[in-house]
């Protein structure tokens, strides 16, 4: 009987030269974190657009944070054809940074993809934006973001396999944000429709 580990590696693994096995080459995964109850499920705000030899993830929301939440679930949803079967059993916190929003989005999805490739072979169902930190002045700091995702370990007996995602790309990445309207409670994230388009290599 096939194990969850071997199945997840088949979906997004890389053939290791001279070793006859598959492995991922992304950054280390975060550790399971909070016992906090998951937020309620929200209407699906993402779609998959055809692109030559690849697929484009399009996610949107009424803020940058909401769009990022939807984008991470869109990534996991493409790798199983029935995302509704994924249960919010435990959480993983994901952090990413970048010199601009495009790099931030790329690194966040890169970390989410790796968590599916390696232990604990995590697949997410619902996400909660935690914070976005902007550099203050000319300090050389980068943008950074934290997102908490509820889900479980991939099980091929429970989760029908979707399409392999080999890598995140910068190709034609777009982050379209409406003019800022107001600040959220923390005064950190602009409120206004945000659309994010990311092409992934399949």
């Amino acid at each position: 009987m096939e194990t969850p580990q071997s199945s997840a590696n088949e979906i997004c693994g890389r053939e290791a030269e001279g070793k006859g096995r598959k492995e991922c080459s992304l950054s280390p995964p975060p550790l399971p974190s909070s016992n906090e109850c998951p937020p309620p499920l929200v209407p699906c705000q993402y779609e998959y657009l055809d692109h030559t030899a690849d697929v484009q993830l399009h996610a949107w929301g009424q803020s940058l944070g909401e769009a990022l939440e939807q984008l991470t679930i869109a990534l996991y949803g493409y790798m199983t054809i029935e995302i509704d079967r994924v249960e919010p059993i435990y959480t993983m916190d994901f952090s990413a940074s970048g010199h601009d929003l495009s790099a931030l989005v790329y690194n966040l999805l890169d970390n989410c993809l790796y968590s599916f490739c390696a232990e604990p072979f995590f697949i997410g169902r619902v996400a909660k934006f935690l914070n976005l930190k902007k550099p203050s002045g000319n300090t050389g700091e980068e943008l950074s973001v934290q997102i908490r995702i509820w889900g479980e370990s991939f099980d091929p007996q429970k989760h029908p396999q979707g399409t392999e995602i080999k890598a995140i790309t910068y190709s034609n990445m777009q982050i379209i944000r409406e003019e800022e309207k107001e600040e959220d409670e923390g005064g950190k994230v602009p409120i206004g429709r945000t659309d994010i388009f990311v092409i992934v290599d399949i």
Side-chain angles (χ1 to χ4, degrees):
M1 180 179 294
E2 187 180 24
T3 64
Q5 288 88 342
S6 62
S7 176
N9 277 329
E10 286 175 4
I11 288 182
C12 64
R14 302 287 188 274
E15 190 71 28
E17 293 184 4
K19 296 181 180 179
R21 62 183 177 86
K22 296 186 177 182
E23 64 181 14
C24 292
S25 58
L26 306 178
S27 54
L31 297 175
S33 53
S34 171
N35 291 323
E36 177 186 355
C37 292
L41 293 175
V42 298
C44 175
Q45 295 175 181
Y46 60 81
E47 62 182 347
Y48 305 110
L49 305 175
D50 290 335
H51 188 272
T52 306
D54 292 313
V55 69
Q56 186 175 52
L57 310 181
H58 172 212
W60 61 91
Q62 292 307 307
S63 68
L64 174 62
E66 190 174 300
L68 289 172
E69 292 170 352
Q70 292 287 325
L71 185 65
T72 57
I73 302 306
L75 177 78
Y76 289 120
Y78 199 71
M79 295 187 288
T80 178
I81 60 176
E82 294 187 24
I83 190 69
D84 290 344
R85 291 194 182 185
V86 177
E87 297 182 69
I89 293 176
Y90 63 88
T91 69
M92 295 190 74
D93 284 359
F94 293 87
S95 299
S97 60
H99 63 277
D100 60 15
L101 277 178
S102 294
L104 186 78
V105 167
Y106 177 94
N107 290 329
L108 176 62
L109 291 182
D110 199 41
N111 287 337
C112 290
L113 179 60
Y114 185 80
S115 74
F116 183 80
C117 294
E119 290 281 1
F121 307 106
F122 178 77
I123 185 165
R125 179 64 183 93
V126 59
K128 178 182 179 181
F129 172 83
L130 297 180
N131 64 67
L132 174 72
K133 293 183 179 179
K134 302 178 182 179
S136 55
N138 190 20
T139 61
E141 296 178 350
E142 295 187 322
L143 287 165
S144 63
V145 68
Q146 284 188 312
I147 284 186
R148 178 165 296 155
I149 302 180
W150 283 257
E152 60 180 318
S153 295
F154 185 84
D155 179 354
Q157 305 302 318
K158 178 180 180 181
H159 309 121
Q161 294 184 3
T163 302
E164 172 188 1
I165 292 180
K166 298 176 181 177
I168 313 303
T169 79
Y170 278 105
S171 176
N172 200 31
M173 184 184 293
Q174 299 177 65
I175 303 170
I176 304 170
R177 305 173 69 185
E178 286 185 353
E179 185 177 349
E180 296 183 9
K181 298 177 181 178
E182 58 181 300
E183 298 290 325
D184 71 352
E185 293 179 358
K188 296 178 180 178
V189 182
I191 303 298
R193 164 108 180 190
T194 299
D195 289 77
I196 305 177
F197 297 83
V198 180
I199 294 173
V200 295
D201 182 16
I202 60 175

